[in-house]
């Protein structure tokens, strides 16, 4: 699965890429914007324009079907952000649907509370998978669908193993800097890529030290991505110089969209591109 053929082969991700960015997954805290499908579709179009991977999230009001090959070029690389599910049937159905819609990798997010894993069928057996794409955000995030805190949480390795049983597509584990133990659990589980996500309270120099620690560990051959709400162009260039393969761009995409729509996001991506090229 080569990047130019609308997919991802991990071996190619160990070498520098021209524009080492990923668009998304977009996280929006503003309720009005969160239900605005246009921002997600525009971000996907930007990824297509710059030939960058686009990470779609189940929190979006845009369904997976709306991002299929009839709207976007077949070469557009689309990955899907998913969350730890307990229900194996649900997971298999979700993976099958995503692959049918052309998603070529899965971004498994462990950014939520580790003792709350999700299964929307536990309390609502009448919910059908066909309903999922119509109410993705609501169905997944309503607390009544979450397992009670008293139930023992599944380990990270369990969820990764479940994905391995469902798909041969690459699995990218996203873990916060506040959960370093989970980062190394995911690495031990053999994820294809680890994405280390900086939280709002972690100073950038501390984040850099964590990246260096991973690079110096036995997992030196596992490609590293970096995620976070608002890396500056200077920080992005520094991370690339450290050996980070790609940076997931989130909040700056939202800011660019709010300023000038499609052109605003293009300007954001070009700022990053120019800084990275000048640094090289």
């Amino acid at each position: 699965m080569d990047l130019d053929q609308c997919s991802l082969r991990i071996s190619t991700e160990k070498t520098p890429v021209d524009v080492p960015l990923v668009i998304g997954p977009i996280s929006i805290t503003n309720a009005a914007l969160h239900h605005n499908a246009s921002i997600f579709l525009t971000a996907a179009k930007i990824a297509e324009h710059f030939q960058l991977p686009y990470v779609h999230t189940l929190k979006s009001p845009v369904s997976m079907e709306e991002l299929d090959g009839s709207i976007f070029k077949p070469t557009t690389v689309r990955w899907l952000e998913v969350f730890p599910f307990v229900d194996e049937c649900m997971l298999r159905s979700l993976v099958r649907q995503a692959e049918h819609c052309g998603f070529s990798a899965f971004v498994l997010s462990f950014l939520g509370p580790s003792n709350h894993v999700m299964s929307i069928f536990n309390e609502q057996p009448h919910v059908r998978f066909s309903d999922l794409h119509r109410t993705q955000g609501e169905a997944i995030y309503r607390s009544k669908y979450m397992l009670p805190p008293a139930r023992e949480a599944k380990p990270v390795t369990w969820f990764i193993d479940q994905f391995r049983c469902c798909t041969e597509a690459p699995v990218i584990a996203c873990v916060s800097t506040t959960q370093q133990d989970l980062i190394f659990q995911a690495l031990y589980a053999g994820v294809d890529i680890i994405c280390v996500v900086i939280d709002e309270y972690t100073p950038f120099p501390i984040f850099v030290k964590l990246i260096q620690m991973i690079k110096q560990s036995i997992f030196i051959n596992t490609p590293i991505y970096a995620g976070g709400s608002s890396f500056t162009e200077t920080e992005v260039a520094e991370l690339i110089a450290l050996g980070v393969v790609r940076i997931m761009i989130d909040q700056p995409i939202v800011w660019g969209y709010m300023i000038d729509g499609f052109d605003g996001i293009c300007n954001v991506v070009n700022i990053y591109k120019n800084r990275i090229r000048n640094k090289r």
Side-chain angles (χ1 to χ4, degrees):
M1 293 183 292
D2 183 70
L3 192 60
D4 294 333
Q5 298 173 348
C6 188
S7 51
L8 164 75
R9 184 176 296 279
I10 299 305
S11 60
T12 66
E13 290 292 279
K14 295 179 182 179
T15 58
V17 292
D18 183 42
V19 185
L21 303 175
V22 176
I23 303 298
I26 296 175
S27 175
I28 300 175
T29 55
N30 183 289
L33 281 176
H34 182 76
H35 294 285
N36 183 356
S38 176
I39 186 171
F40 296 94
L41 291 170
T42 303
K45 280 294 185 182
I46 289 292
E48 178 184 62
H49 177 74
F50 285 98
Q51 297 183 320
L52 300 173
Y54 170 68
V55 181
H56 191 57
T57 176
L58 291 176
K59 295 180 289 185
S60 166
V62 178
S63 70
M64 291 185 286
E65 288 80 1
E66 293 178 79
L67 297 173
D68 64 14
S70 64
I71 298 178
F72 295 88
K73 297 177 182 177
T75 53
T76 302
V77 179
R78 286 157 291 152
W79 304 338
L80 183 66
E81 181 189 35
V82 293
F83 304 88
F85 284 99
V86 168
D87 193 301
E88 295 181 38
C89 292
M90 166 67 185
L91 179 60
R92 289 183 182 277
S93 297
L94 178 64
V95 168
R96 190 180 308 117
Q97 182 92 357
E99 291 180 335
H100 177 75
C101 293
F103 289 86
S104 58
F106 293 92
V107 178
L108 185 53
S109 175
F110 293 101
L111 301 179
S114 59
N115 63 336
H116 278 170
V117 290
M118 305 168 194
S119 176
I120 69 170
F121 294 146
N122 277 345
E123 299 180 15
Q124 299 291 333
H126 62 278
V127 177
R128 303 183 305 274
F129 178 75
S130 58
D131 296 329
L132 178 62
H133 68 271
R134 292 195 291 269
T135 57
Q136 289 170 349
E138 290 84 352
I140 293 174
Y141 278 95
R142 287 176 185 164
S143 60
K144 66 180 181 179
Y145 292 152
M146 289 185 178
L147 294 179
R151 185 173 297 189
E152 183 180 357
K154 299 286 188 181
V156 168
T157 52
W158 186 89
F159 293 112
I160 294 173
D161 288 343
Q162 293 305 303
F163 260 86
R164 294 296 189 203
C165 293
C166 296
T167 181
E168 295 182 357
V171 176
I172 305 165
C174 274
V175 189
S176 170
T177 51
T178 60
Q179 298 176 302
Q180 293 187 26
D181 57 329
L182 297 189
I183 292 175
F184 285 95
Q185 285 182 41
L187 287 166
Y188 274 110
V191 293
D192 298 295
I193 295 172
I194 187 73
C195 179
V196 184
V197 180
I198 189 171
D199 79 302
E200 58 183 325
Y201 302 110
T202 301
F204 184 72
I206 300 299
F207 183 72
V208 167
K209 287 183 179 179
L210 178 57
I211 297 294
Q212 291 173 329
M213 182 171 65
I214 297 172
K215 295 288 291 182
Q216 294 168 4
S217 72
I218 61 174
F219 305 106
I220 187 173
N221 292 322
T222 301
I224 301 175
Y225 287 7
S229 291
S230 52
F231 287 119
T232 67
E233 61 269 29
T234 301
E235 290 170 343
V236 166
E238 184 174 344
L239 289 171
I240 297 303
L242 283 172
V244 173
V245 179
R246 289 185 185 272
I247 314 293
M248 290 187 173
I249 303 301
D250 169 15
Q251 201 61 41
I253 298 299
V254 178
W255 297 335
Y257 176 84
M258 293 176 66
I259 292 172
D260 198 16
F262 184 93
D263 291 338
I265 302 178
C266 279
N267 186 49
V268 168
V269 175
N270 281 321
I271 289 173
Y272 283 121
K273 283 179 58 179
N274 293 336
R275 180 62 177 173
I276 292 168
R277 288 173 177 172
N278 291 337
K279 188 74 173 180
R280 290 174 175 173

